[in-house]
Amino acid sequence: MATVPLLSDDEASPEARAVFDDIRAKRGTDYVNNFWRAMAHDPATLKAVWDRLQTVMAPGALDPLVKELIYVAVSTANGCDYCIHSHTAAARAKGMTPEMHAELIAVIGMAAQTNALVTAMKVEVDEVFKA
Amino acid sequence: MATVPLLSDDEASPEARAVFDDIRAKRGTDYVNNFWRAMAHDPATLKAVWDRLQTVMAPGALDPLVKELIYVAVSTANGCDYCIHSHTAAARAKGMTPEMHAELIAVIGMAAQTNALVTAMKVEVDEVFKA
Amino acid sequence: MATVPLLSDDEASPEARAVFDDIRAKRGTDYVNNFWRAMAHDPATLKAVWDRLQTVMAPGALDPLVKELIYVAVSTANGCDYCIHSHTAAARAKGMTPEMHAELIAVIGMAAQTNALVTAMKVEVDEVFKA
Amino acid sequence: MATVPLLSDDEASPEARAVFDDIRAKRGTDYVNNFWRAMAHDPATLKAVWDRLQTVMAPGALDPLVKELIYVAVSTANGCDYCIHSHTAAARAKGMTPEMHAELIAVIGMAAQTNALVTAMKVEVDEVFKA
Amino acid sequence: MATVPLLSDDEASPEARAVFDDIRAKRGTDYVNNFWRAMAHDPATLKAVWDRLQTVMAPGALDPLVKELIYVAVSTANGCDYCIHSHTAAARAKGMTPEMHAELIAVIGMAAQTNALVTAMKVEVDEVFKA
Amino acid sequence: MATVPLLSDDEASPEARAVFDDIRAKRGTDYVNNFWRAMAHDPATLKAVWDRLQTVMAPGALDPLVKELIYVAVSTANGCDYCIHSHTAAARAKGMTPEMHAELIAVIGMAAQTNALVTAMKVEVDEVFKA
């Protein structure tokens, strides 16, 4: 149960409904997932987040699959269950193989471990890394 | 100031010194960074972490640069200053351009934002993401 | 399923039961929520937390609704599902409108994003902010 | 030392420079703080974040000071030193008194404590909070 | 629903199956818990984590129960529900009494509170603590 | 530079000064560390935290050294630099040997790693752990 209502197409304001329609058009699917239906309680933020997400995740110096892997990594470190599920699914849709997934998970675990070791020891940053 | 001593080559035990030497050989540099000198207070863990790190970060289904980007993303989400500096430097050494770095940072910021939005709203995971 | 038992009125010790009664009296309701029933395994901590919570959340330089909004913000950043639900409900009971809730969520998301951006870039604090 | 350059007015691109100028105009000060100079390596993200920040932090159902208090709370929970300093300064500039600051800190501490207690006990959310 | 399959004995590779068998032998039980069945999608990481875990959690300068208490504390601070449940169960199996559990929870809550207070105030580390 | 003033004995209110004196008496030292001097801006919270800390950290079912180890573990997972330094120092003062410290750090790192692995895989809690 969410802390805000998940709006159906009929319940959403025209501004929110326009974003739903854009999501459908861009993704080539009729399905609008719960995140956007929850965000629809605030159409201005819904639109801002959807617009910005498209820009940030578009092909650029990094390809979209790599961006999804990074998204899963951040979501895991932040403990966002919804985001882990939705972006793992998105990564698969963009070509993530089981082998890539396994390596992604192993790197996340390794990083979490050394993050904790360094933090416990309060190691000072080497000058060479600041250059 | 770290909470454990950073051991010089002379202060390190033979087991730790052997890891230092392996780091030098594998990386083709004389420089051993502070993390390893701090870990040297516990030679068994030092060796275990170094050995495992090489395996996890080796070329595989994901290339080493992508793995470094993921490492920076996790380290940022975990707020590990040392790790952000050291792995940003490592990513650059493996070919991360300023454009790639800018996109990495933008994706990290975007993910952190939607992670927080989803968490505040406690959105339930769509069944389609669990398939 | 909690990692400690949730004690009913009959199962709770007299000290814990006294806190339950005080919660009922202060809140003007018969309902004692799960957090307190879980805390009842440790009556001394139960009492200390309940007493302190009342002091901290009382009207002062900040009004109780603002304090609840801050509580939701911290709980979201810490990923505490129970706390997000319970303090969102408490904020509503103290007058949070859907518009205020929407703005609260938007600020939380914005803060999470710039927190991550700053951390990834390791920006040094301006001297003017330390004055 | 940041992981990206902090660009001076002369080093910034025209797009980034335009944002610097807008920051100066909107804030009525010549000073552009380090966060924006660091973001200037990526003018598109700089502009997107600055534009969105103004919208989110504008007066609305919540007043700007309350929004700054929420920002400080999130930044504290996320451990973002720069953000704690900059938004504490911003809150003071918007009227936060020492008494309000003291209460803000006390609420943040209280929330962090009960967040941890609830999480350690894995207390299930009461049905009444989901209504 | 996990983001990777939980492999049964029949589905697991011979390498993963060998780890399952070792878990059974070392723990003196037929039951292999979900974490290991999930890790089995990546037999090399499964084996590395299982081997390392045994070393780290073995009796040493700290006894195994104290190590489990520390594990629960870290898992709580990291918000890992599975880990809180599994390591609380492990701590009980190693002798944690309800009184010890209550004190563990109280210390975790206290630490979370002062962590947040210190972070909000950005208190500088005393020189005496660095000696 | 803290976000609140660190009060000297002369600057502190009589209520805060009384807590400073109690800290000195209980610890048998003239030194009052920065945390308490920062908390002194809010004498009521200062007293509440100091009083509660003594209760929570007192000998009980867990001995004070074990409690300090747990405190360091939580502080590390929460990334609180001040707390890592101060409680590592406190643990040493209560008898933590370098060997114990090394094991503490190794457990923290191990827990952080498996926390992240479990979270990335979204492993469901085994029924046996809920009993």
Side-chain angles (χ1 to χ4, degrees), chain D residues 57-76:
Chain D
M57 301 303 280
L62 299 177
D63 74 61
L65 174 52
V66 169
K67 291 182 176 184
E68 285 294 350
L69 300 178
I70 293 165
Y71 221 109
V72 172
V74 173
S75 301
T76 299

mmCIF file with all atom_site columns, all heavy atoms in Angstrom, chain D residues 57-76:
data_model
loop_
_atom_site.group_PDB
_atom_site.id
_atom_site.type_symbol
_atom_site.label_atom_id
_atom_site.label_alt_id
_atom_site.label_comp_id
_atom_site.label_asym_id
_atom_site.label_entity_id
_atom_site.label_seq_id
_atom_site.pdbx_PDB_ins_code
_atom_site.Cartn_x
_atom_site.Cartn_y
_atom_site.Cartn_z
_atom_site.occupancy
_atom_site.B_iso_or_equiv
_atom_site.pdbx_formal_charge
_atom_site.auth_seq_id
_atom_site.auth_comp_id
_atom_site.auth_asym_id
_atom_site.auth_atom_id
_atom_site.pdbx_PDB_model_num
ATOM 1   N N   . MET D 1 57 ? 11.845 24.508 -4.475 1.00 0.00 ? 57 MET D N   1
ATOM 2   C CA  . MET D 1 57 ? 12.047 25.245 -3.223 1.00 0.00 ? 57 MET D CA  1
ATOM 3   C C   . MET D 1 57 ? 11.229 26.535 -3.138 1.00 0.00 ? 57 MET D C   1
ATOM 4   O O   . MET D 1 57 ? 11.304 27.247 -2.124 1.00 0.00 ? 57 MET D O   1
ATOM 5   C CB  . MET D 1 57 ? 13.543 25.549 -3.041 1.00 0.00 ? 57 MET D CB  1
ATOM 6   C CG  . MET D 1 57 ? 14.427 24.305 -2.998 1.00 0.00 ? 57 MET D CG  1
ATOM 7   S SD  . MET D 1 57 ? 13.971 23.109 -1.685 1.00 0.00 ? 57 MET D SD  1
ATOM 8   C CE  . MET D 1 57 ? 14.737 23.897 -0.251 1.00 0.00 ? 57 MET D CE  1
ATOM 9   N N   . ALA D 1 58 ? 10.461 26.814 -4.134 1.00 0.00 ? 58 ALA D N   1
ATOM 10  C CA  . ALA D 1 58 ? 9.645  28.038 -4.136 1.00 0.00 ? 58 ALA D CA  1
ATOM 11  C C   . ALA D 1 58 ? 8.528  27.951 -3.091 1.00 0.00 ? 58 ALA D C   1
ATOM 12  O O   . ALA D 1 58 ? 8.131  26.863 -2.681 1.00 0.00 ? 58 ALA D O   1
ATOM 13  C CB  . ALA D 1 58 ? 9.049  28.253 -5.522 1.00 0.00 ? 58 ALA D CB  1
ATOM 14  N N   . PRO D 1 59 ? 8.008  29.107 -2.661 1.00 0.00 ? 59 PRO D N   1
ATOM 15  C CA  . PRO D 1 59 ? 6.877  29.089 -1.731 1.00 0.00 ? 59 PRO D CA  1
ATOM 16  C C   . PRO D 1 59 ? 5.716  28.333 -2.352 1.00 0.00 ? 59 PRO D C   1
ATOM 17  O O   . PRO D 1 59 ? 5.480  28.433 -3.561 1.00 0.00 ? 59 PRO D O   1
ATOM 18  C CB  . PRO D 1 59 ? 6.523  30.576 -1.574 1.00 0.00 ? 59 PRO D CB  1
ATOM 19  C CG  . PRO D 1 59 ? 7.729  31.331 -2.017 1.00 0.00 ? 59 PRO D CG  1
ATOM 20  C CD  . PRO D 1 59 ? 8.402  30.465 -3.049 1.00 0.00 ? 59 PRO D CD  1
ATOM 21  N N   . GLY D 1 60 ? 5.024  27.560 -1.533 1.00 0.00 ? 60 GLY D N   1
ATOM 22  C CA  . GLY D 1 60 ? 3.887  26.782 -2.033 1.00 0.00 ? 60 GLY D CA  1
ATOM 23  C C   . GLY D 1 60 ? 3.025  26.418 -0.842 1.00 0.00 ? 60 GLY D C   1
ATOM 24  O O   . GLY D 1 60 ? 2.757  27.256 0.017  1.00 0.00 ? 60 GLY D O   1
ATOM 25  N N   . ALA D 1 61 ? 2.636  25.149 -0.777 1.00 0.00 ? 61 ALA D N   1
ATOM 26  C CA  . ALA D 1 61 ? 1.888  24.699 0.392  1.00 0.00 ? 61 ALA D CA  1
ATOM 27  C C   . ALA D 1 61 ? 2.806  24.688 1.619  1.00 0.00 ? 61 ALA D C   1
ATOM 28  O O   . ALA D 1 61 ? 2.344  24.787 2.757  1.00 0.00 ? 61 ALA D O   1
ATOM 29  C CB  . ALA D 1 61 ? 1.308  23.312 0.131  1.00 0.00 ? 61 ALA D CB  1
ATOM 30  N N   . LEU D 1 62 ? 4.093  24.525 1.388  1.00 0.00 ? 62 LEU D N   1
ATOM 31  C CA  . LEU D 1 62 ? 5.089  24.617 2.470  1.00 0.00 ? 62 LEU D CA  1
ATOM 32  C C   . LEU D 1 62 ? 5.911  25.880 2.241  1.00 0.00 ? 62 LEU D C   1
ATOM 33  O O   . LEU D 1 62 ? 6.237  26.210 1.087  1.00 0.00 ? 62 LEU D O   1
ATOM 34  C CB  . LEU D 1 62 ? 6.029  23.404 2.449  1.00 0.00 ? 62 LEU D CB  1
ATOM 35  C CG  . LEU D 1 62 ? 5.387  22.030 2.639  1.00 0.00 ? 62 LEU D CG  1
ATOM 36  C CD1 . LEU D 1 62 ? 6.452  20.942 2.528  1.00 0.00 ? 62 LEU D CD1 1
ATOM 37  C CD2 . LEU D 1 62 ? 4.671  21.939 3.991  1.00 0.00 ? 62 LEU D CD2 1
ATOM 38  N N   . ASP D 1 63 ? 6.293  26.545 3.308  1.00 0.00 ? 63 ASP D N   1
ATOM 39  C CA  . ASP D 1 63 ? 7.083  27.756 3.076  1.00 0.00 ? 63 ASP D CA  1
ATOM 40  C C   . ASP D 1 63 ? 8.558  27.402 2.890  1.00 0.00 ? 63 ASP D C   1
ATOM 41  O O   . ASP D 1 63 ? 9.015  26.326 3.295  1.00 0.00 ? 63 ASP D O   1
ATOM 42  C CB  . ASP D 1 63 ? 6.826  28.813 4.149  1.00 0.00 ? 63 ASP D CB  1
ATOM 43  C CG  . ASP D 1 63 ? 7.460  28.508 5.463  1.00 0.00 ? 63 ASP D CG  1
ATOM 44  O OD1 . ASP D 1 63 ? 8.697  28.397 5.512  1.00 0.00 ? 63 ASP D OD1 1
ATOM 45  O OD2 . ASP D 1 63 ? 6.716  28.378 6.448  1.00 0.00 ? 63 ASP D OD2 1
ATOM 46  N N   . PRO D 1 64 ? 9.304  28.285 2.253  1.00 0.00 ? 64 PRO D N   1
ATOM 47  C CA  . PRO D 1 64 ? 10.705 27.992 1.913  1.00 0.00 ? 64 PRO D CA  1
ATOM 48  C C   . PRO D 1 64 ? 11.580 27.615 3.100  1.00 0.00 ? 64 PRO D C   1
ATOM 49  O O   . PRO D 1 64 ? 12.472 26.772 2.951  1.00 0.00 ? 64 PRO D O   1
ATOM 50  C CB  . PRO D 1 64 ? 11.173 29.295 1.252  1.00 0.00 ? 64 PRO D CB  1
ATOM 51  C CG  . PRO D 1 64 ? 9.924  29.865 0.646  1.00 0.00 ? 64 PRO D CG  1
ATOM 52  C CD  . PRO D 1 64 ? 8.845  29.551 1.648  1.00 0.00 ? 64 PRO D CD  1
ATOM 53  N N   . LEU D 1 65 ? 11.323 28.171 4.266  1.00 0.00 ? 65 LEU D N   1
ATOM 54  C CA  . LEU D 1 65 ? 12.151 27.791 5.411  1.00 0.00 ? 65 LEU D CA  1
ATOM 55  C C   . LEU D 1 65 ? 11.903 26.333 5.797  1.00 0.00 ? 65 LEU D C   1
ATOM 56  O O   . LEU D 1 65 ? 12.840 25.581 6.068  1.00 0.00 ? 65 LEU D O   1
ATOM 57  C CB  . LEU D 1 65 ? 11.877 28.712 6.614  1.00 0.00 ? 65 LEU D CB  1
ATOM 58  C CG  . LEU D 1 65 ? 12.582 28.311 7.916  1.00 0.00 ? 65 LEU D CG  1
ATOM 59  C CD1 . LEU D 1 65 ? 14.076 28.117 7.715  1.00 0.00 ? 65 LEU D CD1 1
ATOM 60  C CD2 . LEU D 1 65 ? 12.314 29.365 8.991  1.00 0.00 ? 65 LEU D CD2 1
ATOM 61  N N   . VAL D 1 66 ? 10.639 25.932 5.809  1.00 0.00 ? 66 VAL D N   1
ATOM 62  C CA  . VAL D 1 66 ? 10.331 24.532 6.129  1.00 0.00 ? 66 VAL D CA  1
ATOM 63  C C   . VAL D 1 66 ? 11.006 23.608 5.114  1.00 0.00 ? 66 VAL D C   1
ATOM 64  O O   . VAL D 1 66 ? 11.547 22.551 5.471  1.00 0.00 ? 66 VAL D O   1
ATOM 65  C CB  . VAL D 1 66 ? 8.805  24.298 6.161  1.00 0.00 ? 66 VAL D CB  1
ATOM 66  C CG1 . VAL D 1 66 ? 8.473  22.812 6.221  1.00 0.00 ? 66 VAL D CG1 1
ATOM 67  C CG2 . VAL D 1 66 ? 8.193  25.032 7.354  1.00 0.00 ? 66 VAL D CG2 1
ATOM 68  N N   . LYS D 1 67 ? 11.005 24.021 3.863  1.00 0.00 ? 67 LYS D N   1
ATOM 69  C CA  . LYS D 1 67 ? 11.666 23.203 2.832  1.00 0.00 ? 67 LYS D CA  1
ATOM 70  C C   . LYS D 1 67 ? 13.171 23.090 3.092  1.00 0.00 ? 67 LYS D C   1
ATOM 71  O O   . LYS D 1 67 ? 13.759 22.029 2.879  1.00 0.00 ? 67 LYS D O   1
ATOM 72  C CB  . LYS D 1 67 ? 11.382 23.801 1.453  1.00 0.00 ? 67 LYS D CB  1
ATOM 73  C CG  . LYS D 1 67 ? 9.920  23.641 1.028  1.00 0.00 ? 67 LYS D CG  1
ATOM 74  C CD  . LYS D 1 67 ? 9.658  24.184 -0.370 1.00 0.00 ? 67 LYS D CD  1
ATOM 75  C CE  . LYS D 1 67 ? 8.196  23.900 -0.784 1.00 0.00 ? 67 LYS D CE  1
ATOM 76  N NZ  . LYS D 1 67 ? 7.928  24.319 -2.173 1.00 0.00 ? 67 LYS D NZ  1
ATOM 77  N N   . GLU D 1 68 ? 13.775 24.173 3.561  1.00 0.00 ? 68 GLU D N   1
ATOM 78  C CA  . GLU D 1 68 ? 15.212 24.100 3.874  1.00 0.00 ? 68 GLU D CA  1
ATOM 79  C C   . GLU D 1 68 ? 15.470 23.167 5.053  1.00 0.00 ? 68 GLU D C   1
ATOM 80  O O   . GLU D 1 68 ? 16.471 22.447 5.080  1.00 0.00 ? 68 GLU D O   1
ATOM 81  C CB  . GLU D 1 68 ? 15.775 25.489 4.195  1.00 0.00 ? 68 GLU D CB  1
ATOM 82  C CG  . GLU D 1 68 ? 15.969 26.402 2.995  1.00 0.00 ? 68 GLU D CG  1
ATOM 83  C CD  . GLU D 1 68 ? 17.038 25.933 2.012  1.00 0.00 ? 68 GLU D CD  1
ATOM 84  O OE1 . GLU D 1 68 ? 17.799 24.988 2.303  1.00 0.00 ? 68 GLU D OE1 1
ATOM 85  O OE2 . GLU D 1 68 ? 17.096 26.521 0.917  1.00 0.00 ? 68 GLU D OE2 1
ATOM 86  N N   . LEU D 1 69 ? 14.584 23.183 6.031  1.00 0.00 ? 69 LEU D N   1
ATOM 87  C CA  . LEU D 1 69 ? 14.749 22.284 7.180  1.00 0.00 ? 69 LEU D CA  1
ATOM 88  C C   . LEU D 1 69 ? 14.675 20.828 6.730  1.00 0.00 ? 69 LEU D C   1
ATOM 89  O O   . LEU D 1 69 ? 15.457 19.977 7.169  1.00 0.00 ? 69 LEU D O   1
ATOM 90  C CB  . LEU D 1 69 ? 13.666 22.557 8.234  1.00 0.00 ? 69 LEU D CB  1
ATOM 91  C CG  . LEU D 1 69 ? 13.623 23.971 8.829  1.00 0.00 ? 69 LEU D CG  1
ATOM 92  C CD1 . LEU D 1 69 ? 12.461 24.076 9.822  1.00 0.00 ? 69 LEU D CD1 1
ATOM 93  C CD2 . LEU D 1 69 ? 14.934 24.347 9.505  1.00 0.00 ? 69 LEU D CD2 1
ATOM 94  N N   . ILE D 1 70 ? 13.743 20.551 5.833  1.00 0.00 ? 70 ILE D N   1
ATOM 95  C CA  . ILE D 1 70 ? 13.611 19.201 5.286  1.00 0.00 ? 70 ILE D CA  1
ATOM 96  C C   . ILE D 1 70 ? 14.875 18.832 4.499  1.00 0.00 ? 70 ILE D C   1
ATOM 97  O O   . ILE D 1 70 ? 15.372 17.708 4.576  1.00 0.00 ? 70 ILE D O   1
ATOM 98  C CB  . ILE D 1 70 ? 12.360 19.119 4.372  1.00 0.00 ? 70 ILE D CB  1
ATOM 99  C CG1 . ILE D 1 70 ? 11.088 19.293 5.225  1.00 0.00 ? 70 ILE D CG1 1
ATOM 100 C CG2 . ILE D 1 70 ? 12.324 17.814 3.590  1.00 0.00 ? 70 ILE D CG2 1
ATOM 101 C CD1 . ILE D 1 70 ? 9.834  19.598 4.420  1.00 0.00 ? 70 ILE D CD1 1
ATOM 102 N N   . TYR D 1 71 ? 15.421 19.801 3.773  1.00 0.00 ? 71 TYR D N   1
ATOM 103 C CA  . TYR D 1 71 ? 16.637 19.574 2.978  1.00 0.00 ? 71 TYR D CA  1
ATOM 104 C C   . TYR D 1 71 ? 17.807 19.220 3.891  1.00 0.00 ? 71 TYR D C   1
ATOM 105 O O   . TYR D 1 71 ? 18.594 18.308 3.607  1.00 0.00 ? 71 TYR D O   1
ATOM 106 C CB  . TYR D 1 71 ? 16.962 20.831 2.163  1.00 0.00 ? 71 TYR D CB  1
ATOM 107 C CG  . TYR D 1 71 ? 17.439 20.592 0.745  1.00 0.00 ? 71 TYR D CG  1
ATOM 108 C CD1 . TYR D 1 71 ? 16.632 20.902 -0.333 1.00 0.00 ? 71 TYR D CD1 1
ATOM 109 C CD2 . TYR D 1 71 ? 18.698 20.061 0.491  1.00 0.00 ? 71 TYR D CD2 1
ATOM 110 C CE1 . TYR D 1 71 ? 17.053 20.697 -1.643 1.00 0.00 ? 71 TYR D CE1 1
ATOM 111 C CE2 . TYR D 1 71 ? 19.138 19.861 -0.815 1.00 0.00 ? 71 TYR D CE2 1
ATOM 112 C CZ  . TYR D 1 71 ? 18.305 20.178 -1.880 1.00 0.00 ? 71 TYR D CZ  1
ATOM 113 O OH  . TYR D 1 71 ? 18.730 19.969 -3.173 1.00 0.00 ? 71 TYR D OH  1
ATOM 114 N N   . VAL D 1 72 ? 17.924 19.952 4.995  1.00 0.00 ? 72 VAL D N   1
ATOM 115 C CA  . VAL D 1 72 ? 18.994 19.654 5.957  1.00 0.00 ? 72 VAL D CA  1
ATOM 116 C C   . VAL D 1 72 ? 18.802 18.255 6.541  1.00 0.00 ? 72 VAL D C   1
ATOM 117 O O   . VAL D 1 72 ? 19.773 17.500 6.694  1.00 0.00 ? 72 VAL D O   1
ATOM 118 C CB  . VAL D 1 72 ? 19.016 20.698 7.099  1.00 0.00 ? 72 VAL D CB  1
ATOM 119 C CG1 . VAL D 1 72 ? 19.995 20.278 8.205  1.00 0.00 ? 72 VAL D CG1 1
ATOM 120 C CG2 . VAL D 1 72 ? 19.392 22.076 6.562  1.00 0.00 ? 72 VAL D CG2 1
ATOM 121 N N   . ALA D 1 73 ? 17.573 17.894 6.834  1.00 0.00 ? 73 ALA D N   1
ATOM 122 C CA  . ALA D 1 73 ? 17.281 16.583 7.420  1.00 0.00 ? 73 ALA D CA  1
ATOM 123 C C   . ALA D 1 73 ? 17.690 15.456 6.465  1.00 0.00 ? 73 ALA D C   1
ATOM 124 O O   . ALA D 1 73 ? 18.345 14.493 6.869  1.00 0.00 ? 73 ALA D O   1
ATOM 125 C CB  . ALA D 1 73 ? 15.795 16.479 7.763  1.00 0.00 ? 73 ALA D CB  1
ATOM 126 N N   . VAL D 1 74 ? 17.300 15.574 5.202  1.00 0.00 ? 74 VAL D N   1
ATOM 127 C CA  . VAL D 1 74 ? 17.669 14.557 4.212  1.00 0.00 ? 74 VAL D CA  1
ATOM 128 C C   . VAL D 1 74 ? 19.190 14.506 4.039  1.00 0.00 ? 74 VAL D C   1
ATOM 129 O O   . VAL D 1 74 ? 19.793 13.426 3.999  1.00 0.00 ? 74 VAL D O   1
ATOM 130 C CB  . VAL D 1 74 ? 16.989 14.841 2.853  1.00 0.00 ? 74 VAL D CB  1
ATOM 131 C CG1 . VAL D 1 74 ? 17.500 13.885 1.776  1.00 0.00 ? 74 VAL D CG1 1
ATOM 132 C CG2 . VAL D 1 74 ? 15.466 14.728 2.986  1.00 0.00 ? 74 VAL D CG2 1
ATOM 133 N N   . SER D 1 75 ? 19.802 15.666 3.950  1.00 0.00 ? 75 SER D N   1
ATOM 134 C CA  . SER D 1 75 ? 21.258 15.735 3.749  1.00 0.00 ? 75 SER D CA  1
ATOM 135 C C   . SER D 1 75 ? 22.012 15.116 4.913  1.00 0.00 ? 75 SER D C   1
ATOM 136 O O   . SER D 1 75 ? 23.060 14.490 4.734  1.00 0.00 ? 75 SER D O   1
ATOM 137 C CB  . SER D 1 75 ? 21.693 17.194 3.573  1.00 0.00 ? 75 SER D CB  1
ATOM 138 O OG  . SER D 1 75 ? 21.027 17.781 2.467  1.00 0.00 ? 75 SER D OG  1
ATOM 139 N N   . THR D 1 76 ? 21.481 15.274 6.109  1.00 0.00 ? 76 THR D N   1
ATOM 140 C CA  . THR D 1 76 ? 22.103 14.670 7.291  1.00 0.00 ? 76 THR D CA  1
ATOM 141 C C   . THR D 1 76 ? 21.975 13.151 7.231  1.00 0.00 ? 76 THR D C   1
ATOM 142 O O   . THR D 1 76 ? 22.953 12.426 7.427  1.00 0.00 ? 76 THR D O   1
ATOM 143 C CB  . THR D 1 76 ? 21.442 15.195 8.577  1.00 0.00 ? 76 THR D CB  1
ATOM 144 O OG1 . THR D 1 76 ? 21.624 16.618 8.635  1.00 0.00 ? 76 THR D OG1 1
ATOM 145 C CG2 . THR D 1 76 ? 22.049 14.554 9.810  1.00 0.00 ? 76 THR D CG2 1
#
